[in-house]
Every structure is written in C-alpha cells, then in structure tokens.
Amino acid sequence: MTVESTAARKPRRSSGTKRAAGAANAAAKPAAATAQTQDAVPQLVQLLTPEGDRVDNAENAEFAPFVADITTEDLRGLYRDMVMTRRFDGEATALQRQGELGLWASLLGQEAAQIGSGRALNDEDYVFPTYREHGVAWCRGVDPTNLLGMFRGVNHGGWDPNTNNFHLYTIVIGSQTLHATGYAMGVAKDGADSAVIAYFGDGASSQGDVAEAFTFSAVYNSPVVFFCQNNQWAISEPTERQMRVPLYQRAQGFGFPGVRVDGNDVLACLAVTRWALDRARRGEGPTLVEAFTYRMGAHTTSDDPTKYRRDEETAAWEAKDPILRLKAHLLATGGADEAFFTELEAESEAMGKRVREAVRAMPDPDTMAIFENVYADGHALVDEERAQFAAYLASFEEGH
Amino acid sequence: MAVEKMSIAKALNESLRKALEQDPKVLIMGEDVGKLGGVFRITDGLQKDFGEERVIDTPLAESGIVGTAIGLALRGYRPVVEIQFDGFVFPAYDQIVTQLAKMHARALGKVKMPVVVRIPYAGGIGAVEHHSESPEALFAHVPGLKVVSPSNASDAYWMLQQAILSDDPVIFFEPKRRYWDKGEVDFDAIPGELHKARVTREGSDVTLAAYGPMVKVCLEAAAAAAEEGKSVEVLDLRSMSPVDFDGIQASVEKTRRLVVVHEAPVFLGVGAEVAARITERCFYHLEAPVLRVGGFHAPYPPARLEDEYLPGLDRVLDAVDRSLAY
Ligand SMILES: Cc1ncc(C[n+]2csc(CCOP(=O)(O)OP(=O)(O)O)c2C)c(N)n1
C-alpha cells in the first residue's frame, strides 16, 4: 500500500559497519551529547543553518557521520518529502475550512522533524504516533487519504497498523509512549534487530504516562526512541508551563541520554534519529530526542492562537523554515535546478487534487457499523442491541 | 440586573466569577484556563481579573491537576478544576476514585474535600474520539462523590455556585452541545436544592426523566407528543448522585409510566438504577415497565454516525409509545 513515497528506505544494519564502530564508541559516553549543564541556552545539534549552509562543529561531530552516506539525490528526496507533506497538510486545512473535515491538526513548520526522523527508520521498525504525524505517515507509505478518515468523522483510525508498522493516531496525550515501550520490550524479548519510535509533544511530557514510559524503558533497557517535537506550545501553554529544565535533559534523571536537535533541520533530525535508533538496535536502550521546532499554525483548526501568541515570535520562526533551508542548500550546492522545483510543484498539486477528490468521495459509514468490532469474540448484549436497533430502523421503512 | 438572558457558557463563567469574588480560597485550575479562557471559553477573562495565582494554567497532566487539588483542599482551598474533555478525565480517575472520594471517610470526617471537577461531556458537536463521552455512571457508582449536570443557564449558574459551596467533591458535568443555548438567569433567586429533580413540563400520561443534554430532547418530544394528544411530563433529574428518587416517585405516582433517557450506554447506566429503584418503590402504581433510552454497548461512534447513535426525538417518542401500549 505504498503510495507516492519514493525516497529510499534503506535497511540499516548496524553490525559490522565502520560507522557503527564509531557510534559504539560514542555511545560509551552517551551523556557527551547531552549537555549536562543547566545552560540557559542549551546545545542544539545542527547540520544545516537557516541559510542552508552545512556546518561542522563539536556538537554535531558525533552525529554527522550518520548522514555521511546521504547523496544529493537523497537530499532531493528529503526535500520532496517535505514539500509533499506540506502540500498535503495545506490541502487538509483547506478541506476543513470547506466543511469536508471536522477538524485538522496541522504539522506546518514541523516537516523537517517528521521527515528527518521518519526517513531514519527501517521498514521493520515500529512507529507510535500522536495525532499530528502526517509526515511520518508519509515516510511509512501510509496513503495520505487514510489519515483523513478520523478527522472527517467516518472512523476512529482508518488503517491497519501492521501494514506499514505505523500505529493508529492517539489522541489521549502521552498514552502511546507506554505502548511503544511495551512493544519495544517485546522486540527485545524476541531478539529482533529493530527499534521502536514514539512521537509526542512538549506538553505531553508532563503526563504521568510519559514519565512511566521513561521509567519502564530505562529499567528494561528497551529499544525505543522517544521523539518529542517541542513545538513550543501545548495549545495555549508555553513550554515553561510544562517544565523548568530543557526538555532533553529530563532523560538524564531516568538514566538514558537525551539530545536536542534543530527540529527545522531535516539532515540533523535524520542523523540524530539514526544515531538513537542505532543505540536501540545495539541493545543500549532508550534515547530521548527533543526536536526543537515550532508550530507555525494553530493547534488545530478549532484553535485561535492570537489569544495567546505574539506575531513576532511566529515571524522569527518563519526565518528558520525547514523547506526553504534545504532549498537554499540545494541551490547553493547545485544539488537541484529550477526544473526540479517546478516539477515538484506540479507533482504536489496533483497529489493535492487527488486527496481532495478522495475525501469528497469518502462515503459515510453504514449505521450498523456502530456495532462492529466492539469485541473480537462477539457479545450477547451487542447482538441484542444491534437486532433491536435494526428492527427500530426498519420500522420507519415499513411506514410504522 | 436581577434577571438576564445568557448562554449556559456565560452563566458558568459568571458563576465562577462570583465564586472567585466571594471567597479568596476559591481557585480555578486546568489546562488552557488562563489566557485562552479554556477551549470552550468558560473561564474567559477570569485570569485577567483575578490573576495567575487564582486562575491557574496547569501542566498537561490530569492526575496532577486533581491530585494537587486534593492537596490544596487539605490546606483549606476550594479548587474548581477543569478537565478539558470527558475522555481526558481518565488519567485523573485514579486520584478521583481512590483519593478524592474517600478522604473524608478515611479521616473520620475530620477532613473536607470541597473540590469541584468540571467536565464538558456528551456528544453532538461532531468531534473526534474521546471528546463526546458520557461517563457519569462511572462516577455516580463511587461512594463519596456527588455527580450533577445542569441542563439550562439558570441551573448552570446556580448549581455551580452550590457545587463550589459544597464540602464534598462534586463531579460537575457540563453538556457541551448546550453551551450556546440561552436562558434566563435570576441572580437574586433563591435556588432550589442542588440534588432535587425538577418538573420542567407538567404532564399526566407518562414521565420522561432525563438530565443534561437530553432534557431539551425530551422537552421537544413532549411538545411533539402533545400534538398527538399525549400528555408527557418531563423531569430534569439534575443530580445523578444522589438521585432524587422521591421526586421521580411523585411524578410516577401521577403518570404511572416512566421512561429514563440519557446519552450514556443503557447497560449499567444511571437509568438502570432509576428503573430498579422506581420499580421497587412504585410497583403497584406502574402501568408499564420502566423503559430506558440511551447509548449502545459500543464505543461512541465517529462523528458521521452520532446523529444515529444519540437518542433523538424519534427514539424518545418510540419509547413513549411503547410505554403507553402496555
Ligand atoms: C489526556 C489529555 N488531556 C488533554 C487533551 C487535550 N489536548 C489535545 S492536544 C493538547 C495539547 C498537546 O500539546 P503537546 O503535547 O505539546 O503536542 P502538540 O499538539 O503541540 O503537538 C491538549 C491539552 C488530550 N488530548 N489528552
């Protein structure tokens, strides 16, 4: 069911490669990557500046080798992923405005965090998303229209999680981090060479469930990566309302490393996530990755950010746009020409059109679907109520 | 401004404002209740006027919200906490059930728990999952908690005042699809008792008992039934713990027929308890078994099916007909 996701998903086996040896060294001192200090301005792993320049520095030295194999073609692939994802997201927002969707949670601004981390995964890795991971879904090859069913109100999920190793969206904040941890415990028990990644927001990190996920994953040394997109806001509440230390530093207290990465830098997100997944696969346990990014739009289409957010803040983040950054890099290095961008524009338009048409054609569920899949084994009460309700509905047709 | 017409949302806002004004120990706590004024704007403007020490934006953690409210109550405060949506009360369910509900009894009555947990609940707004549930029976089943739900602006104002004044924990369910319904609030009135049912429409053939969002549906059903010559009494229960069985009994002794209506699943719901008690109390008065109309034993469905899932006029009238047919 892979749809339009073409960027290579290369299997990444860690054993025996040169890079793995280097990474293993680094892992011996995992805290090196996680500023131990309580610096006011915490360190940030960055490979591409907002202007699109490649940087090499002490902070990224440990991670840069993890993208040493990335070719210009790969970069174009990452760019395409981000553009297509943003286009899809924009289309969904428009569809909500037109009344085709009841609600939409936009990922605008978070494309690099999602594509960078999503492309770091192997096919057999397992993803536990929250409700905004449309870019990660894209990387997993989930048909984008499948993501819209629950926002249109025709289902509560809309896809088989096992088809793409992409679990259903979770709306109750933080719950899925425990599911990811348990799944990872199972992976470890099975001796499998794969990892698990759990997505959540900065607000979610306040939930007890997330703290318990940290506890369990540390105690059982589970192969799980906690990927927190710190988009600075939990609806109207800024991160200061959730925590008083930089988010990534929380991992330290649980006994595993935390890294803060520039969440608007797709290359850095790719590198850091690969690094963390590598650790997990090598049996070195969990990692917390904090992707420092920004929610450019409203929390959802029901939200009004003008009530709590300053325009200047949003404007400052606009200058760090993840897509423009990679475009600048591609142009400056001759990695892509205008024709590439023009073609991509047409391709994303076509995808937008296809999504629009698919959503408009999406049928409402059958009324009797209310009683479907309540139990796997069946249940006498459900059967009784289904029969009663069917008879009740039929009574209208008979001109009762 | 003794009497004013306003929405339920506004009445709740006014009620919180008055509580904050009257008692410095009253605190408002919850996610997004400050600057944003809550996702439904029930706390709109309160932080601006009463400050961040009294109207508190909390971390995104429901167990934390209720657990710390318990501690604040132990210290003499009267926290009114907001749970953003019905489906998100469950991270706090442990604190509510194992701690909040039992503290008074465990402390030999020496400790009071004047905590109000406000929960926008029930369906009808086309939301995604966990935003439309009716978990009231789960709370009513727990000894130590009081559970109420207003159905109109006047009750919204007064019942919230009374809940905040109560020394017991009150789970205050707000029917979110009725937030924008307007009604008159008499600010000088002497309110009725918090846990008393109220006859909202007199009738003689059958009693419809409901609360929260379903009261309006029952009133519409009664009006439709009247056109067919049936006289339907509508009783607003208002409180699910305790339930005013005397009030229901009085109505049933008059009409001899009872239909209980709620959005929550019928199985083991509040209606089940009402049916059992009224059958015991009124066995010789009843002309028909007590009937129930409500949700199914199935998860609350996706939005496109909620109109079919939620009891509407037709299902209520159908039950009235079935009751009258005995
Ligand atoms: C347990 C729970 N409480 C409250 C909510 C309502 N809610 C939905 S999203 C949200 C903010 C989430 O912020 P964050 O975790 O930072 O993620 P973001 O949406 O910013 O990606 C809240 C409070 C919820 N879904 N679940």
Side-chain angles (χ1 to χ4, degrees):
Chain A
M1 211 184 40
T2 299
V3 177
E4 292 167 332
S5 300
T6 51
R9 278 161 72 193
K10 295 175 193 151
R12 299 183 50 80
R13 305 285 165 192
S14 50
S15 51
T17 66
K18 244 201 246 160
R19 195 189 55 246
N25 260 343
K29 46 174 176 79
T34 75
Q36 299 266 351
T37 57
Q38 304 275 318
D39 285 348
V41 182
Q43 300 178 31
L44 192 69
V45 178
Q46 188 183 68
L47 293 171
L48 276 183
T49 66
E51 294 72 38
D53 299 327
R54 261 307 291 261
V55 276
D56 283 309
N57 56 30
E59 268 140 51
N60 71 27
E62 194 169 339
F63 306 98
F66 282 82
V67 287
D69 63 330
I70 291 293
T71 64
T72 307
E73 194 191 336
D74 291 335
L75 283 181
R76 282 197 300 269
L78 293 169
Y79 183 82
R80 174 179 175 275
D81 287 337
M82 289 198 288
V83 167
M84 296 293 274
T85 299
R86 180 172 290 186
R87 183 68 189 82
F88 166 70
D89 187 69
E91 189 62 45
T93 302
L95 285 164
Q96 196 281 333
R97 300 274 180 252
Q98 293 158 18
E100 298 289 345
L101 301 178
L103 181 83
W104 184 243
S106 165
L107 65 32
L108 188 66
Q110 300 180 216
E111 294 87 352
Q114 296 197 13
I115 300 301
S117 60
R119 285 297 176 210
L121 300 164
N122 288 349
D123 280 354
E124 56 277 16
D125 293 338
Y126 214 101
V127 179
F128 286 85
T130 164
Y131 43 76
R132 205 189 286 282
E133 270 67 72
H134 322 312
V136 185
W138 171 268
C139 294
R140 299 307 283 176
V142 175
D143 182 338
T145 58
N146 279 352
L147 303 176
L148 301 175
M150 73 180 284
F151 292 101
R152 187 173 169 85
V154 303
N155 59 44
H156 287 322
W159 60 89
D160 173 356
N162 292 321
T163 306
N164 304 76
N165 283 7
F166 185 78
H167 191 68
L168 301 169
Y169 277 178
T170 298
I171 286 181
V172 181
I173 297 293
S175 294
Q176 76 283 1
T177 56
L178 279 167
H179 312 157
T181 300
Y183 194 95
M185 288 161 66
V187 167
K189 280 185 195 303
D190 295 343
D193 180 25
S194 57
V196 179
I197 188 164
Y199 288 86
F200 58 104
D202 42 296
S205 71
S206 296
Q207 285 287 354
D209 274 7
V210 175
E212 293 181 28
F214 288 178
T215 298
F216 274 67
S217 63
V219 164
Y220 296 108
N221 204 43
S222 311
V224 57
V225 175
F226 295 106
F227 195 91
C228 180
Q229 289 166 85
N230 178 358
N231 64 11
Q232 314 300 327
W233 292 91
I235 310 187
S236 73
E237 300 192 359
T239 46
E240 304 90 80
R241 267 288 133 165
Q242 312 295 338
M243 68 207 76
R244 287 300 171 106
V245 298
L247 202 151
Y248 73 98
Q249 288 182 2
R250 290 182 151 195
Q252 216 178 291
F254 289 88
F256 56 89
V259 187
R260 177 176 274 181
V261 60
D262 184 337
N264 287 19
D265 173 353
V266 71
L267 206 56
C269 288
L270 179 66
V272 167
T273 312
R274 279 180 168 183
W275 171 84
L277 289 165
D278 231 42
R279 290 188 75 249
R281 292 197 194 99
R282 275 203 315 276
E284 286 171 18
T287 307
L288 171 62
V289 176
E290 175 190 2
F292 204 72
T293 181
Y294 195 74
R295 187 192 84 208
M296 292 304 296
H299 169 71
T300 66
T301 44
S302 308
D303 174 42
D304 173 13
T306 62
K307 282 240 168 198
Y308 54 81
R309 211 165 69 170
R310 290 173 307 115
D311 288 347
E312 306 91 84
E313 179 187 294
T314 317
W317 278 92
E318 243 162 50
K320 302 180 196 173
D321 187 277
I323 296 186
L324 295 181
R325 178 181 310 204
L326 187 52
K327 184 172 187 177
H329 179 73
L330 284 169
L331 285 172
T333 57
D337 54 14
E338 279 305 330
F340 168 75
F341 297 108
T342 314
E343 267 168 45
L344 188 51
E345 179 71 30
E347 190 189 1
S348 69
E349 270 315 307
M351 184 269 300
K353 182 162 180 277
R354 188 180 72 77
V355 166
R356 190 160 59 243
E357 282 163 4
V359 166
R360 292 200 174 130
M362 205 179 270
D364 281 354
D366 181 74
T367 304
M368 284 299 148
I370 289 171
F371 303 97
E372 275 168 28
N373 299 314
V374 183
Y375 294 90
D377 289 340
H379 189 284
L381 178 59
V382 177
D383 294 344
E384 182 187 324
E385 290 189 349
R386 180 197 289 114
Q388 279 171 355
F389 195 48
Y392 167 75
L393 293 177
S395 71
F396 289 99
E397 264 135 53
E398 287 152 15
H400 172 63
Chain B
M1 78 143 202
V3 179
E4 215 183 299
K5 194 165 179 178
M6 63 178 68
S7 67
I8 287 182
K10 181 72 179 150
L12 292 166
N13 180 267
E14 290 292 339
S15 190
L16 292 171
R17 175 174 290 280
K18 184 171 172 207
L20 286 164
E21 272 165 9
Q22 285 196 328
D23 183 351
K25 294 292 185 188
V26 170
L27 303 174
I28 312 281
M29 297 167 64
E31 296 159 10
D32 304 295
V33 298
K35 242 187 200 149
L36 188 66
V39 292
F40 288 108
R41 308 288 186 267
I42 304 303
T43 55
D44 202 20
L46 298 180
Q47 190 181 65
K48 193 170 126 271
D49 296 342
F50 295 93
E52 291 184 13
E53 287 293 319
R54 308 235 9 235
V55 181
I56 305 166
D57 269 331
T58 65
L60 208 179
E62 286 77 9
S63 182
I65 294 170
V66 173
T68 54
I70 291 170
L72 282 159
L74 289 171
R75 182 68 193 175
Y77 285 88
R78 305 185 85 86
V80 183
V81 311
E82 174 173 303
I83 300 293
Q84 205 156 73
F85 278 94
D86 37 70
F88 309 142
V89 70
F90 296 106
Y93 195 65
D94 169 36
Q95 285 288 346
I96 293 173
V97 172
T98 67
Q99 307 302 319
L100 183 63
K102 296 186 166 80
M103 204 66 87
H104 183 66
R106 288 173 59 221
L108 310 176
K110 300 295 179 203
V111 159
K112 297 194 169 111
M113 275 292 123
V115 176
V116 177
V117 182
R118 294 180 37 242
I119 310 177
Y121 85 122
I125 63 162
V128 291
E129 63 174 348
H130 313 300
H131 290 72
S132 303
E133 289 165 23
S134 300
E136 61 270 18
L138 297 177
F139 294 90
H141 193 68
V142 179
L145 300 178
K146 292 182 170 174
V147 184
V148 302
S149 178
S151 71
N152 58 62
S154 172
D155 273 354
Y157 181 83
W158 284 112
M159 287 171 71
L160 186 53
Q161 289 292 302
Q162 292 165 316
I164 295 169
L165 288 171
S166 168
D167 282 332
D168 287 312
V170 180
I171 312 296
F172 194 88
F173 281 107
E174 299 172 3
K176 64 172 90 82
R177 69 165 146 150
R178 306 288 180 227
Y179 270 148
W180 304 279
D181 286 6
K182 288 192 172 175
E184 281 185 353
V185 180
D186 182 349
F187 293 98
D188 299 329
I190 297 164
E193 283 173 53
L194 178 57
H195 302 291
K196 259 214 155 28
R198 182 189 300 124
V199 175
T200 40
R201 180 185 170 115
E202 301 255 7
S204 53
D205 295 340
V206 54
T207 299
L208 284 176
Y211 52 85
M214 291 309 297
V215 171
K216 186 173 179 181
V217 175
C218 288
L219 286 170
E220 286 166 2
E227 286 174 19
E228 298 168 6
K230 295 165 202 157
S231 172
V232 175
E233 176 144 310
V234 178
L235 202 57
D236 183 350
L237 294 183
R238 300 169 76 245
S239 175
M240 286 82 84
S241 179
V243 173
D244 177 13
F245 292 111
D246 291 344
I248 309 172
Q249 179 170 355
S251 177
V252 169
E253 283 178 3
K254 184 170 69 167
T255 65
R256 307 173 87 86
R257 288 180 169 84
L258 175 63
V259 177
V260 193
V261 185
H262 50 59
E263 286 188 23
V266 163
F267 183 66
L268 290 176
V270 171
E273 182 60 39
V274 171
R277 295 266 170 166
I278 292 304
T279 303
E280 280 175 29
R281 284 178 172 226
C282 307
F283 190 70
Y284 293 107
H285 288 282
L286 285 167
E287 299 280 354
V290 179
L291 299 181
R292 288 166 292 159
V293 180
F296 304 112
H297 191 65
Y300 192 88
R304 297 261 168 167
L305 286 181
E306 70 179 345
D307 281 349
E308 325 240 15
Y309 174 93
L310 290 172
L313 216 56
D314 284 332
R315 269 167 72 195
V316 174
L317 289 171
D318 177 71
V320 167
D321 287 347
R322 278 190 285 132
S323 179
L324 287 168
Y326 277 92

